[in-house]
Structure formats: structure tokens, C-alpha cells
Amino acid sequence: TPECPAVVGSQPAGRVRMPPKAEALRVAITVDDLPAHGPSVRGLPPLEIHRALLAAFESHEVPQVYGFINAGKLENAPELRAALEAWTAAGHPLGNHTYSHDHGSAFSADEWREEIVHNRQALEKAQIPAAAQTGFRTPFLEYNAATFKVIAELGFCLLYTSDAADEEDSIH
């Protein structure tokens, strides 16, 4: 099992208790949907967008920003691999964000496994080793009980976002 840098929550229902105030809270900074995330910027190739992001992280001393990858994007645009290489060259970890980025709230364990394993294999084919893919985030933050079973089986750390603004001591 990989060492998880930040696991904000790991249960599909209920509340996850925050650490007592005296303990440090570990937080992961993340960027989803690599290697192409969001609309294109006229005159700025994807690699340059990544370089700008990475330079901003470095100038603000942001350590280890997780980039969550949908490898399906590489199938049709293999040149996007350079963006992932820049990410790892800068020392940032990569995470699995499923192959197709489909809504998964109704996925069976087999469907979750297929999406995650297909993504991992496509990334390995693109020279991104499985060892570099330790974190996992569900697309659209949708999950179910099968999600947790499969990611544990495959050895991933779950990293996801929660909004605790409505209650100081818990995350939903």
C-alpha cells in the first residue's frame, strides 16, 4: 500500500472526524483531468499551460501537487504525453482519474476495476509507470461502496475534495 499524503475522507456515508486542533491537518493540492483540463487557450499549447502551472507551484513553494489523469485523452492526442512528463520531471505525483471520466455512482465493482485498470494500462503504454500512479480520485466525486473495495484491492490512496464550511469539525 502506498503512503497516502492526504486522505481527507474514505467513507461513502457519514462523517469523517477531523484531527484535534493540536494535530496538523494534511492537505493535498490537486489538478484533475490531465493531460488536457479545461478549454484550450488560443495560442498556448497544452504543454505551455502545464509549464505555467508548474512554474506557479514552484514560485509559491507548493510541494507535490497531484495531477489526476484520464488516459483516454492520450489515445487521440499522444503529444499530450509531454505535459505528463513535465509534471513528473517537476517532482509532482500523478494519480488515476479513470480512463473515460464517466459518471460512476452506479458502477459495479467490475466497472470501477475496468475503468481504473484500463487507465493504468494506457498510462503504462505511454511510459507512465504504475508506481507513479498512487492516488485515485473519482470523476465528479461520484462513488459508491464498490469504489472503496476496488481502490483498496488495487492499492490506491483515495484523494477527494470535501466542503467542511458548514461544520468546523467534520468533513462530509
Side-chain angles (χ1 to χ4, degrees), residues 29-151:
I29 307 296
T30 66
V31 177
D32 284 3
D33 306 334
L34 300 184
H37 50 278
S40 61
V41 177
R42 186 182 302 219
L44 199 57
L47 179 56
E48 294 308 312
I49 294 170
H50 283 272
R51 286 182 176 151
L53 281 170
L54 295 166
F57 300 149
E58 183 177 3
S59 72
H60 293 285
E61 299 178 7
V62 179
Q64 290 208 322
V65 176
Y66 260 85
F68 285 96
I69 307 167
N70 307 112
K73 296 173 182 176
L74 292 171
E75 299 280 327
N76 297 322
E79 70 278 4
L80 293 175
R81 183 172 167 261
L84 302 179
E85 291 170 349
W87 204 265
T88 56
H92 297 289
L94 299 172
N96 190 310
H97 198 45
T98 73
Y99 183 81
S100 65
H101 201 271
D102 286 340
H103 290 271
S105 60
F107 278 6
S108 68
D110 287 341
E111 290 168 314
W112 276 115
R113 191 175 298 102
E114 172 61 26
E115 278 288 323
I116 296 166
V117 170
H118 189 191
N119 198 55
R120 178 183 272 175
Q121 290 170 340
L123 291 171
E124 288 174 337
K125 183 179 172 185
Q127 313 294 303
I128 307 295
Q133 308 170 43
T134 59
F136 175 78
R137 174 175 287 145
T138 60
F140 309 103
L141 304 177
E142 293 179 359
Y143 50 86
N144 57 34
T147 315
F148 299 99
K149 175 183 182 255
V150 172
I151 63 169

